[in-house]
C-alpha cells in the first residue's frame, strides 16, 4: 500500500506542475488559450447560411450556453485581471465568447470556419500565426474558433468547448502546453462539429 501511495504522490506533482506551468504562461501572456466554441448540436451550417444572421446558423443550445458561462468562471479563477478575447464571426463562437463575460470579443476573420469551402485553411492559419507571432502579449488571451481551425493549427480534434493552451510565439508547429476539457461538461457530449 505504501508503494502505491508513494507512486501516486510522485506522479501527481508532474501533472499538476505541467498544468500549473501552462496556466502561468497564459497568465503572463506567453501562451494563448485556443478553444472550440461551446456545444452547438449538428455539423456545418444549414443551407441559406448568412454570416450576419444568427437565425441562419447552427447555434449554441442550453448546454452550450452553460459551458461558455463555466469557461468564464474558470478563466476568472485563473486570472483576476483583464483578458483579451478574439472570436470567429460565426454566432456560435461570438455567443461563446460573450457568455464567458471576460471582455467584449473582438471578431477576427482568420478564426472563421473554412468548412465546406467557406474559407481558406492555409491563408487563415497563416494569418493567425502572423497575428500572434510575438513571444509575449500584454495580457492573457483567448481565441474562440471552430473544430476545423483548431485541428488545422494543432492536429487535435477537439470536443465542443474543449481548449488547449499553446505557447508563443505562434508558429505552424504549435507547442501544446495543456489540453483542457470543457468545464463540468457531461460525459459523451461531443455532438456538434465544425
Amino acid at each position: 500500500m505504501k508503494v502505491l501511495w508513494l507512486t501516486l504522490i510522485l506522479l501527481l506533482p508532474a501533472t499538476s506542475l505541467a498544468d500549473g506551468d501552462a496556466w502561468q504562461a497564459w497568465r503572463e501572456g506567453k501562451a494563448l488559450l485556443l478553444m472550440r466554441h461551446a456545444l452547438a448540436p449538428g455539423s456545418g451550417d444549414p443551407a441559406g447560411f448568412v454570416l450576419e444572421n444568427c437565425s441562419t446558423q447552427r447555434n449554441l443550445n442550453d448546454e452550450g450556453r452553460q459551458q461558455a458561462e463555466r469557461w468564464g468562471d474558470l478563466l476568472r479563477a485563473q486570472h483576476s485581471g483583464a483578458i483579451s478575447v478574439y472570436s470567429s464571426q460565426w454566432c456560435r463562437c461570438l455567443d461563446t465568447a460573450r457568455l464567458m463575460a471576460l471582455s467584449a470579443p473582438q471578431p477576427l476573420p482568420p478564426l472563421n470556419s473554412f468548412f465546406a469551402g467557406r474559407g481558406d485553411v492555409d491563408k487563415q492559419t497563416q494569418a493567425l500565426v502572423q497575428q500572434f507571432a510575438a513571444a509575449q502579449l500584454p495580457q492573457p488571451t483567448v481565441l474562440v474558433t471552430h473544430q476545423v481551425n483548431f485541428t488545422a493549427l494543432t492536429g487535435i480534434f477537439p470536443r465542443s468547448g474543449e481548449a488547449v493552451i499553446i505557447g508563443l510565439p505562434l508558429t505552424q508547429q504549435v507547442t501544446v502546453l495543456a489540453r483542457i476539457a470543457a468545464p463540468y461538461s457531461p460525459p459523451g457530449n461531443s455532438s456538434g462539429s465544425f
Side-chain angles (χ1 to χ4, degrees), residues 170-194:
L170 199 56
T171 63
Q172 287 293 139
Q173 298 294 318
V174 298
T175 302
V176 175
L177 304 175
R179 190 169 175 177
I180 307 156
Y184 315 110
S185 188
N189 230 350
S190 62
S191 59
S193 301
F194 319 107

Side-chain angles (χ1 to χ4, degrees), residues 7 15 38 50 63 85 96 99 104 107 124-125 150-151:
T7 302
T15 303
V50 176
E63 174 58 22
V85 181
T96 298
L99 287 165
Q124 287 176 237
T125 303
F150 193 114
T151 302

Side-chain angles (χ1 to χ4, degrees), residues 9-189:
I9 289 173
L10 291 174
L11 290 175
L12 288 176
T15 303
S16 300
L17 181 61
D19 288 343
D21 287 347
W23 282 115
Q24 186 62 34
W26 177 74
R27 283 189 291 272
E28 293 173 356
K30 296 177 182 175
L32 295 168
L33 188 135
L34 174 72
M35 73 177 294
R36 179 182 177 190
H37 61 77
L39 186 62
S43 66
D45 283 289
F49 167 89
V50 176
L51 183 60
E52 298 77 21
N53 185 346
C54 293
S55 69
T56 68
Q57 300 180 33
R58 184 166 54 93
N59 293 293
L60 302 182
N61 66 2
D62 287 341
E63 174 58 22
R65 288 186 285 280
Q66 291 170 12
Q67 277 181 347
E69 290 169 356
R70 290 188 300 254
W71 261 113
D73 294 342
L74 173 63
L75 294 174
R76 281 186 297 279
Q78 288 294 328
H79 182 72
S80 60
I83 298 171
S84 295
V85 181
Y86 294 88
S87 175
S88 159
Q89 295 172 291
W90 266 239
C91 295
R92 57 187 171 270
C93 292
L94 285 168
D95 288 346
T96 298
R98 288 181 188 122
L99 287 165
M100 287 191 289
L102 302 170
S103 64
Q106 301 171 56
L108 185 63
L111 294 171
N112 289 351
S113 179
F114 44 76
F115 179 68
R118 295 199 192 277
D120 184 305
V121 60
D122 294 328
K123 285 182 184 175
Q124 287 176 237
T125 303
Q126 188 56 40
L128 194 60
V129 167
Q130 289 173 357
Q131 174 95 20
F132 295 100
Q136 188 165 3
L137 298 170
Q139 61 195 38
T141 300
V142 175
L143 308 179
V144 182
T145 192
H146 305 265
Q147 175 270 310
V148 290
N149 304 69
F150 193 114
T151 302
L153 189 62
T154 66
I156 296 169
F157 191 103
R159 297 170 65 118
S160 295
E162 185 175 354
V164 289
I165 297 176
I166 50 180
L168 290 174
L170 199 56
T171 63
Q172 287 293 139
Q173 298 294 318
V174 298
T175 302
V176 175
L177 304 175
R179 190 169 175 177
I180 307 156
Y184 315 110
S185 188
N189 230 350

